[in-house]
Amino acid sequence: MSILPILLYPDVQLRKLATPVNEIDGRIDILVGDMLQTMYEAPGIGLAATQVNVHKRVVVVDVSEECNTPLVLINPELVEHHGEAEAQEGCLSIPEIYETIKRPAQVHIKAIDREGNPFELDADGLLATCIQHEIDHLDGKLFVDYLSALKRNRIRKKMLKLIRDQDD
């Protein structure tokens, strides 16, 4: 396994629409393993393939305290959602920035696991927030898109400065 470079906002590749995975093969298994290692090393609780510049519908999540309960979602689909909740969100592609975002409180999703088995999942709380956040990435959407234009522009400027400082 290797650690993959994470794209930083406002990289245009983060806006690319991910395509469905047609075959669960060795390449997908390697991608999932690399994504999990990258997420844990970052450290984060979720990572979409889009964030590592692979435009396939693959997400990894682990909201456990011990970081030992990985959830792999291939071709995730949000089937139902209920309620409304506010939560602080951050993003590995927008480091050190956290904002309160409103999202549905509960979700029901369909996906395929790492072995190619279809499954359904009901989630609430942090898991529901994380899953929605990562599915947004697959659709080219970022949590800053839920913010006002003023906040979004301020964050964009901070990120551009961070990227400039890293390049120096």
Side-chain angles (χ1 to χ4, degrees):
M1 287 192 279
S2 63
I3 296 176
L4 304 170
I6 297 172
L7 298 175
L8 295 177
Y9 175 76
D11 192 309
V12 295
Q13 294 300 312
L14 290 168
R15 298 300 187 175
K16 246 181 143 171
L17 192 62
T19 60
V21 173
N22 296 320
E23 183 182 354
I24 313 292
D25 56 15
R27 290 183 314 223
I28 294 299
D29 191 55
I30 290 168
L31 173 64
V32 166
D34 289 348
M35 286 175 62
L36 284 166
Q37 183 174 358
T38 302
M39 177 186 72
Y40 288 130
E41 290 289 323
I45 61 170
L47 185 68
T50 302
Q51 293 177 271
V52 294
N53 209 20
V54 176
H55 302 286
K56 292 288 180 188
R57 295 190 74 79
V58 178
V59 164
V60 295
V61 171
D62 189 343
V63 297
S64 68
E65 287 289 322
E66 302 80 20
C67 298
N68 63 357
T69 313
L71 177 63
V72 176
L73 306 172
I74 299 170
N75 297 336
E77 178 187 342
L78 186 62
V79 179
E80 286 182 52
H81 58 84
H82 303 283
E84 185 176 89
E86 286 188 347
Q88 278 274 314
E89 288 189 33
C91 182
L92 294 176
S93 292
I94 312 172
E96 300 177 25
I97 306 262
Y98 300 90
E99 293 288 342
T100 301
I101 306 295
K102 282 185 188 175
R103 292 188 184 269
Q106 295 112 15
V107 296
H108 179 81
I109 63 156
K110 289 182 180 180
I112 300 169
D113 70 15
R114 192 173 185 172
E115 288 76 40
N117 302 307
F119 70 98
E120 296 187 29
L121 174 72
D122 289 311
D124 60 12
L126 181 58
L127 181 58
T129 299
C130 189
I131 288 171
Q132 292 173 83
H133 178 110
E134 300 310 330
I135 289 174
D136 275 355
H137 275 298
L138 301 178
D139 296 331
K141 190 170 186 176
L142 302 167
F143 85 89
V144 295
D145 297 339
Y146 293 92
L147 303 174
S148 69
L150 182 67
K151 278 188 176 180
R152 199 168 41 252
N153 194 36
R154 190 179 76 234
I155 291 168
R156 186 177 192 283
K157 285 179 181 175
K158 279 185 185 178
M159 289 303 301
L160 289 171
K161 182 182 182 322
L162 174 76
I163 292 165
R164 270 195 317 272
D165 291 349
Q166 285 179 350
D167 291 342
D168 289 346

